[in-house]
Amino acid sequence: MGNLKSVALPLLLAVSILHLQFVESVWFLDYHIHITNDLPLLNSLPGKPNLFLRCKSRNKDIGDRAMVKGQDYTWDTKINALQTTLFFCNARWESRKRRSFDAFVADRDEKRCLVYRSSCMWSVREDGIYFSRNNVTWFNEYPW
């Protein structure tokens, strides 16, 4: 029994320290949120906005953006100590469609957004709002 304690206690301590180091590094890490307008022009003229976004958290309003095709809307955030950081957006594609979506949710995105330079990549398209963890493979997480 004494032998088990002498092995288990240092092992438990080592695991706790590694976990704490990971959690602390996540708290101080900047996450980059990118939302790109990949909508077709349809009746819009080139250079005229066809996507309108408003993104905010409970404490921070990122503001309104009128976006032209190909434009990127970005901001940075950190995860708060309680890991409850949440940014949501309202998207409007001209007068065609509207959709709200969560652009950053701490417990959902803290690990999946680390894969590509600590970035959460979003693409607004004709059939919905897509997410990518690597800027190569995209998933329609929020259909219109």
Side-chain angles (χ1 to χ4, degrees), residues 32-144:
H32 316 291
I33 294 91
H34 298 266
I35 305 172
T36 304
N37 179 359
D38 289 318
L39 289 167
L41 288 176
L42 299 179
N43 296 329
S44 299
L45 298 172
K48 182 181 176 207
N50 66 342
L51 175 63
F52 303 88
L53 283 175
R54 179 177 188 102
C55 298
K56 59 194 271 185
S57 71
R58 187 173 62 139
N59 303 320
K60 186 175 184 179
D61 190 339
I62 306 299
D64 294 319
R65 292 287 194 285
M67 298 174 62
V68 298
K69 182 171 176 58
Q71 189 173 5
D72 189 38
Y73 178 20
T74 65
W75 71 91
D76 293 345
T77 190
K78 293 182 184 333
I79 294 176
N80 64 23
L82 298 175
Q83 293 185 292
T84 58
T85 305
L86 165 68
F87 279 90
F88 61 93
C89 300
N90 293 308
R92 181 172 54 88
W93 176 18
E94 293 177 332
S95 59
R96 290 177 173 77
K97 306 204 179 198
R98 294 176 184 266
R99 182 71 158 106
S100 294
F101 68 100
D102 294 334
F104 186 83
V105 180
D107 62 354
R108 178 192 70 188
D109 296 326
E110 69 178 327
K111 291 186 179 104
R112 78 175 185 167
C113 293
L114 284 175
V115 174
Y116 187 72
R117 302 181 199 136
S118 305
S119 295
C120 294
M121 310 296 292
W122 295 96
S123 171
V124 182
R125 301 179 182 183
E126 189 170 13
D127 60 340
I129 301 168
Y130 285 70
F131 175 81
S132 176
R133 66 180 67 219
N134 58 14
N135 206 23
V136 175
T137 306
W138 295 87
F139 302 96
N140 189 347
E141 289 203 5
Y142 295 96
W144 291 106

Side-chain angles (χ1 to χ4, degrees), residues 12-27:
L12 183 60
L13 183 60
V15 168
S16 298
I17 290 170
L18 288 174
H19 176 72
L20 184 59
Q21 287 175 341
F22 173 75
V23 168
E24 285 181 355
S25 68
V26 168
W27 285 343

